[in-house]
Amino acid sequence: MAQRRINAILNHLAGSDDLNHEIDFNNPAERYTLKPNLTSAETASKHQLVLTDNKSGQKWNLPAPDTNTNGPVTPVQFIVLPKSKTTNSLTVLDNRTGKLYEIAIEDDTIPALKFKSMIGPNKEGIRVYDPAYQNTAVARSKITEIDGEAGVLRYRGYPIEELAEKSNYLEVSYLLIFGELPNKVQYERWSNEIMHHTYIHIRVMELMKSFNYDAHPMGMFISSISAMSTYHPEANPALAGNDMYKVSAAARTKQIVRLLGKVPTVAACCYRHRIGRPYNYPQSNLGYCENFLYMLDHLSEENYMPNAKLARALDVLFILHADHELNCSTAAMRHIGSTLVDPYSAVAGAASALYGPLHGGANEAVLRMLEEIGKPENVTEFLEQVKQRKRRLMGFGHRIYKNYDPRARIIRQVAYEVFEICGREPLIEVAIELERIALSDEYFIKRKLYPNVDFYSGLIYKSMGFPTDFFPVLFAIPRVSGWLAHWVESITNPAAKIWRPRQVYVGEGKRSYVPMEHRSIPEPGENDDNGFDMEIHYDLSKRSAAATYEGKYRKPELKA
């Protein structure tokens, strides 16, 4: 009855000859076209179609047909869809085939594989294209929660502000990896195990000593962590069993304790190598950060003890940097770990991602920016250049946070505590003025550009006497616990598979092989598409260029 009434209304408005279909509720994705005999916009506005559900009273308006005084009325097309059994779903109409799909929404996400079933004329399913993972969730995680709009960061449900105030790094690392804060017995065993696994193999130390005197500390750090896997063959799945870390919690925990204990030692050796001093051995009777500072700075003093307040400041920084959801390096850790490789190799890969200037090197970029500004009175001019896109503003804005980074507030307070001990860093005045003006400028407010964790961390490290090229290493030490937490979560997931993203191929189609003698050669001095000069330079000096010797490169003569 309802179907007949709707059809009657449609026929009355459009004219029975102009409506080619009746509404078939058994084929709800079919299109229907209204071609009313209307000649003006005024007439069309009086004949807007309203579909009403008599049972619920709900109404749906169809817009009046587009009219043009110089031409015919444009038909209106509409589709009648069945009401879904659940409101928590997505209805997708494939306009290529007219097929209708319903996809369940869970945790504000939809499974991408559902699109694979939407087969088009080319007989292939749809892929979701998302370069740089800007809106793609690749894991379900219980580790870190971020609310970017509200500026909230929680580890396993605990606000970062509370952990920074009341906890310490080793306790937080336990929380991240195992999901709960340790009790007294668990914490004592945990910290004792880590502090008694701080020594690294003597051959690893010898390997580190073989690096060039000016080797970048982060390059040394990555290489040394990777090399450590070769000194622990029982940690290698290729030798001890492919699924060893999936099935054995003891195997995972053993390597976790080793890595957390040895990472500060490796980092300290990188620092000592950089300044040309002998490596120090760890002191297991000290705290985690105190031991790190000891290995960095001890010379020949008796009963050397690092400053407790500086150790605590570093501990807070380690807590803030321990994890930050699925950032670039953590995604790399999960990606590499999905192959079931040993955690040393996976951590080395994650640290390589952290090495990049857009990730772990961001606080160094902030420091260089502040140094370029120089004085507080230069801030206004600098920000005007930023607005004109002549300069880049570093340390502001975040892909996730659309509010003040909660870590930045904590670090700001830590900065002043460090300045009281090590002396006020002159650039802090520039930073404060930059923050003040930017947060009151509509240009930056509108774009939600707030200070992030990198804005003040570089100033703290500089005030503590760390060289800028050591900043990424200071970032990597605490992040290891976060990487390992994600490694454990991903590798113990029963549904885990090796990560293998797809691509959209946009290259050449099938081509025939062209013999080399028939390929074009750029003119001398021209650069080819690969970015290097076609002039080949094999000689070590002008003298060698003038000399004759067997095998000397000769430029081929071009045939006319």
Side-chain angles (χ1 to χ4, degrees):
M1 180 67 69
Q3 179 173 335
R4 287 199 300 270
R5 278 200 297 267
I6 291 176
N7 288 329
I9 294 171
L10 296 177
N11 290 333
H12 174 71
L13 288 176
S16 58
D17 294 336
D18 294 321
L19 184 62
N20 301 321
H21 302 285
E22 288 191 345
I23 295 180
D24 181 3
F25 288 98
N26 295 319
N27 186 18
E30 187 174 353
R31 274 191 179 81
Y32 300 93
T33 303
L34 289 180
K35 296 182 290 184
N37 298 317
L38 305 176
T39 58
S40 68
E42 180 180 359
T43 306
S45 65
K46 297 178 181 179
H47 290 80
Q48 185 174 23
L49 179 64
V50 179
L51 294 181
T52 304
D53 183 349
N54 291 332
K55 186 174 182 180
S56 65
Q58 187 174 0
K59 296 182 179 182
W60 295 269
N61 293 331
L62 292 177
D66 292 333
T67 58
N68 190 323
T69 55
N70 298 324
V73 176
T74 303
V76 171
Q77 287 191 333
F78 66 96
I79 298 171
V80 177
L81 302 177
K83 184 174 178 61
S84 174
K85 296 180 180 180
T86 173
T87 58
N88 201 31
S89 64
L90 186 71
T91 300
V92 179
L93 171 65
D94 191 337
N95 289 312
R96 303 171 303 172
T97 61
K99 290 184 178 180
L100 198 66
Y101 303 86
E102 183 172 313
I103 306 174
I105 299 174
E106 185 177 355
D107 296 326
D108 292 327
T109 65
I110 57 174
L113 284 178
K114 290 293 184 180
F115 290 94
K116 190 176 182 180
S117 64
M118 301 178 188
I119 308 297
N122 59 358
K123 307 302 181 182
E124 291 188 2
I126 294 175
R127 295 177 189 164
V128 179
Y129 179 62
D130 185 14
Y133 294 156
Q134 296 181 80
N135 192 40
T136 297
V138 294
R140 293 184 180 275
S141 180
K142 298 179 180 180
I143 300 171
T144 297
E145 177 190 4
I146 298 176
D147 184 339
E149 294 294 333
V152 171
L153 171 62
R154 300 188 186 105
Y155 292 166
R156 300 284 189 176
Y158 294 94
I160 191 65
E161 295 84 355
E162 286 190 39
L163 294 174
E165 178 186 357
K166 302 174 182 179
S167 188
N168 61 62
Y169 175 70
L170 285 186
E171 186 178 53
V172 168
S173 66
Y174 186 99
L175 170 67
L176 289 171
I177 294 169
F178 298 109
E180 297 292 344
L181 288 169
N183 58 37
K184 185 177 181 181
V185 175
Q186 291 171 328
Y187 177 74
E188 288 179 354
R189 183 178 180 184
W190 173 249
S191 57
N192 183 69
E193 284 292 314
I194 290 174
M195 294 311 299
H196 283 81
H197 280 84
T198 51
Y199 271 74
I200 60 177
H201 199 289
I202 189 64
R203 297 297 298 272
V204 175
M205 276 194 172
E206 292 175 358
L207 174 68
M208 297 182 72
K209 291 176 182 178
S210 69
F211 279 99
N212 203 32
Y213 73 95
D214 59 352
H216 195 288
M218 193 61 174
M220 289 184 63
F221 180 85
I222 294 167
S223 301
S224 303
I225 294 296
S226 178
M228 283 170 60
S229 66
T230 65
Y231 293 94
H232 300 290
E234 75 282 3
N236 190 344
L239 303 175
N242 292 348
D243 294 332
M244 61 179 294
Y245 294 120
K246 291 179 69 70
V247 301
S248 174
R252 294 193 300 269
T253 302
K254 184 175 183 178
Q255 306 313 321
I256 288 170
V257 166
R258 280 178 171 173
L259 272 162
L260 291 177
K262 298 178 189 305
V263 158
T265 307
V266 172
C269 290
C270 295
Y271 177 81
R272 300 283 288 195
H273 186 91
R274 184 192 182 283
I275 62 177
R277 292 178 180 173
Y279 302 170
N280 280 324
Y281 289 104
Q283 303 295 307
S284 59
N285 61 312
L286 297 178
Y288 195 78
C289 290
E290 288 175 329
N291 172 59
F292 178 55
L293 292 174
Y294 174 91
M295 291 188 290
L296 291 175
D297 301 323
H298 175 60
L299 292 175
S300 59
E301 307 90 344
E302 292 185 8
N303 300 320
Y304 183 89
M305 183 64 65
N307 183 282
K309 289 185 177 181
L310 288 181
R312 175 55 186 166
L314 193 61
D315 198 59
V316 171
L317 288 171
F318 280 10
I319 291 173
L320 300 179
H321 283 119
D323 191 54
H324 202 240
E325 203 220 43
L326 215 58
N327 51 76
C328 179
S329 58
T330 305
M333 182 73 183
R334 281 184 176 258
H335 200 139
I336 298 170
S338 73
T339 69
L340 303 184
V341 73
D342 66 90
Y344 300 94
S345 299
V347 167
S352 299
L354 188 70
Y355 193 3
L358 294 182
H359 194 5
N363 50 14
E364 180 180 349
V366 171
L367 196 62
R368 299 197 186 284
M369 175 192 72
L370 296 175
E371 289 173 343
E372 290 178 8
I373 296 174
K375 299 178 181 179
E377 51 265 33
N378 298 335
V379 168
T380 301
E381 180 183 352
F382 172 81
L383 290 178
E384 286 301 319
Q385 293 178 340
V386 170
K387 294 177 185 179
Q388 299 169 14
R389 303 198 174 190
K390 295 180 180 179
R391 305 288 291 273
R392 289 192 65 186
L393 179 62
M394 308 302 296
F396 277 72
H398 196 281
R399 179 178 288 188
I400 301 297
Y401 291 112
K402 304 307 176 186
N403 203 322
Y404 206 104
D405 186 337
R407 301 169 299 171
R409 286 195 178 95
I410 302 170
I411 280 187
R412 198 172 191 268
Q413 179 60 37
V414 173
Y416 286 102
E417 294 173 359
V418 171
F419 296 158
E420 290 179 3
I421 302 168
C422 299
R424 190 175 181 85
E425 170 57 45
L427 291 177
I428 188 64
E429 304 298 339
V430 181
I432 292 173
E433 183 68 4
L434 182 63
E435 179 182 10
R436 184 190 67 81
I437 296 178
L439 292 183
S440 61
D441 192 308
E442 185 62 28
Y443 178 90
F444 301 101
I445 295 174
K446 183 179 179 181
R447 288 162 176 78
K448 297 183 179 181
L449 296 177
Y450 300 93
N452 58 40
V453 69
D454 300 310
F455 189 65
Y456 282 106
S457 60
L459 289 172
I460 296 174
Y461 291 144
K462 188 174 189 296
S463 178
M464 292 178 71
F466 291 111
T468 53
D469 59 7
F470 197 66
F471 289 1
V473 180
L474 292 169
F475 197 160
I477 297 170
R479 187 52 63 89
V480 168
S481 63
W483 291 336
L484 291 172
H486 284 270
W487 174 68
V488 170
E489 185 177 65
S490 61
I491 208 169
T492 55
N493 182 355
K497 296 181 180 180
I498 186 171
W499 283 24
R500 207 296 188 186
R502 300 301 302 271
Q503 68 168 15
V504 179
Y505 179 73
V506 294
E508 301 285 349
K510 183 179 179 181
R511 295 194 286 181
S512 299
Y513 182 82
V514 178
M516 187 173 293
E517 58 270 20
H518 295 297
R519 301 173 202 165
S520 61
I521 300 177
E523 293 295 326
E526 289 183 356
N527 290 340
D528 70 357
D529 293 337
N530 295 320
F532 61 87
D533 195 330
M534 291 303 295
E535 292 286 341
I536 300 179
H537 307 281
Y538 279 26
D539 301 311
L540 297 178
S541 67
K542 293 180 180 180
R543 296 184 301 278
S544 294
T548 58
Y549 52 87
E550 185 175 347
K552 184 176 182 180
Y553 173 77
R554 301 293 181 188
K555 185 190 302 184
E557 294 184 2
L558 302 182
K559 296 181 180 180

